[in-house]
Amino acid sequence: MTVPAWLWFATIGGLVAIILADLFLVDHKPHAVTVREAARWVLFYVALALVFGAGVWLFAGGTYAGEFFAGYITEYSLSVDNLFVFVIIMGTFKVPAIHQHRVLLVGIVIALIMRGIFIAIGAAAIARFSWVFYLFAAVLIYTAVSLVRQGTEHDEEYTENRVLRLLRRMLPVTEDYHGAKSFVKIDGKRWATPMIIVMLAIGSTDLLFALDSIPAIFGLTQEAYLVFTANAFALMGLRQLYFLLGGLLERLIYLSYGLAVILGFIGVKLVLHALHENSLPFINGGEPVPVPEIGIVVSLSVIVGVLIITTVASLIKARRRPEVAAYSGPEARSDR
């Protein structure tokens, strides 16, 4: 797939325009996002992804379109697991409801920039070293096993990472929020506010999730452009999904198992692809191993099928066990 430079610039420019428009709407009238509003925005971003995928189909063919959709669905479903952590971060920092949308938007922009760097490094490594597929496969299979062990349990506490601890050493942080400001001057001294801390918490935490989601999508497509755009569309729609899911989030009790199956499946797919492209001298004398590869149609079918089964099974289980619905949503947690 040949992607000219102008298309890269146009795509990034379009994403920047959407982000700026969203920031204007947020800053123009800060408010607590309602479920109805979140639903409209989620549908908007899903529609954008569908239109983009249709464009890929029209100009590059069905195979690349299938790779984009498989990558987008995988990244979006993996991002849902991020929401559990986002909820905990919002609650830990007691983010006011009217500022949660801005926090998520800026945090996700930070995450998208860092993921872009990660994708560029990954694409360069894959182009030069075929054994990187083995490494990616190992990461995915390890993560799948960890998700199975985690089961339906999720951590209820958030521990600040090194980036945030370093920032706190470099700058004093106010106890209270000062509207949507990230920095303020008090008695001539510059202070950071909890707003910048929580934004960086969202962005840096997402990078940890990228350590398994980026290898996962490289298992579905090696086209850097599709990897980047699938991540962009998934992340842009993620913050609205945070408000839309609300009480449904804890009802997805089998989500970890579903994601484990998907990551394990893609891990196996990567192993087969690595064997097919093998250049390691201690495997088959450094020659490619004639193994069957899993096509994108099968991959897309497995991913969608697993997500449907996981969601339906989770909702049935939650209905039989009403106690799992005790979760009160992002707004309630932010006010505790």
Side-chain angles (χ1 to χ4, degrees):
M1 181 179 181
T2 303
V3 180
W6 68 264
L7 184 56
W8 273 101
F9 286 118
T11 302
I12 295 173
L15 290 172
V16 170
I18 293 172
I19 291 168
L20 291 177
D22 209 333
L23 272 175
F24 171 77
L25 292 174
V26 172
D27 288 336
H28 180 66
K29 189 179 179 182
H31 63 284
V33 178
T34 64
V35 172
R36 181 175 296 181
E37 181 184 0
R40 289 198 298 266
W41 277 103
V42 167
L43 290 175
F44 170 73
Y45 281 112
V46 170
L48 277 184
L50 291 174
V51 170
F52 180 84
V56 173
W57 192 311
L58 180 63
F59 293 104
T63 299
Y64 288 121
E67 291 179 359
F68 167 76
F69 284 122
Y72 169 68
I73 294 171
T74 299
E75 291 299 305
Y76 213 177
S77 59
L78 288 171
S79 295
V80 171
D81 208 33
N82 299 18
L83 296 184
F84 287 100
V85 180
F86 290 175
V87 166
I88 295 170
I89 291 175
M90 291 291 193
T92 300
F93 289 95
K94 298 181 176 63
V95 182
I98 63 171
H99 297 313
Q100 288 184 5
H101 186 275
R102 178 185 176 88
V103 166
L104 285 170
L105 178 59
V106 176
I108 285 173
V109 169
I110 295 172
L112 183 57
I113 293 172
M114 292 192 293
R115 283 197 184 204
I117 296 172
F118 195 180
I119 289 168
I121 295 173
I126 286 173
R128 187 170 182 181
F129 308 107
S130 62
W131 55 262
V132 172
F133 286 113
Y134 291 112
L135 178 61
F136 282 0
V139 169
L140 294 184
I141 293 172
Y142 173 80
T143 304
V145 173
S146 298
L147 285 173
V148 171
R149 289 178 176 175
Q150 170 187 305
T152 59
E153 300 297 324
H154 293 275
D155 292 334
E156 293 294 330
E157 295 182 1
Y158 172 72
T159 303
E160 292 187 5
N161 55 41
R162 293 181 180 178
V163 174
L164 299 183
R165 291 197 296 269
L166 178 61
L167 180 61
R168 287 187 182 275
R169 292 194 193 101
M170 294 173 60
L171 283 174
V173 181
T174 62
E175 290 291 333
D176 302 318
Y177 288 89
H178 292 259
K181 293 180 180 179
S182 299
F183 296 94
V184 293
K185 275 193 175 182
I186 301 176
D187 297 330
K189 184 178 180 181
R190 192 172 183 82
W191 291 69
T193 72
M195 185 66 70
I196 187 65
I197 300 296
V198 71
M199 287 176 181
L200 290 174
I202 295 289
S204 58
T205 298
D206 180 82
L207 185 60
L208 297 178
F209 285 98
L211 294 177
D212 54 63
S213 65
I214 297 300
I217 193 172
F218 270 118
L220 299 168
T221 177
Q222 284 80 60
E223 297 294 336
Y225 181 73
L226 297 182
V227 173
F228 175 76
T229 51
N231 270 272
F233 282 113
L235 285 177
M236 290 301 293
L238 179 61
R239 68 192 187 284
Q240 303 298 344
L241 199 62
Y242 170 86
F243 298 103
L244 178 61
L245 286 181
L248 287 176
L249 195 57
E250 285 288 343
R251 291 184 174 91
L252 299 176
I253 55 179
Y254 293 133
L255 177 64
S256 293
Y257 294 119
L259 296 180
V261 171
I262 291 173
L263 291 178
F265 169 77
I266 298 175
V268 172
K269 185 177 188 294
L270 274 173
V271 170
L272 294 175
H273 182 74
L275 290 171
H276 194 267
E277 301 289 330
N278 178 63
S279 61
L280 294 178
F282 54 84
I283 297 178
N284 199 37
E287 296 296 322
V289 181
V291 295
E293 290 203 74
I294 302 172
I296 194 61
V297 174
V298 174
S299 299
L300 186 56
S301 300
V302 169
I303 292 167
V304 172
V306 169
L307 289 175
I308 291 174
I309 293 172
T310 299
T311 302
V312 172
S314 295
L315 295 178
I316 291 174
K317 185 69 173 180
R319 189 173 183 179
R320 293 177 178 175
R321 291 180 53 200
E323 64 271 19
V324 301
Y327 171 74
S328 53
E331 287 187 19
R333 287 223 179 180
S334 66
D335 294 332
R336 69 179 182 182

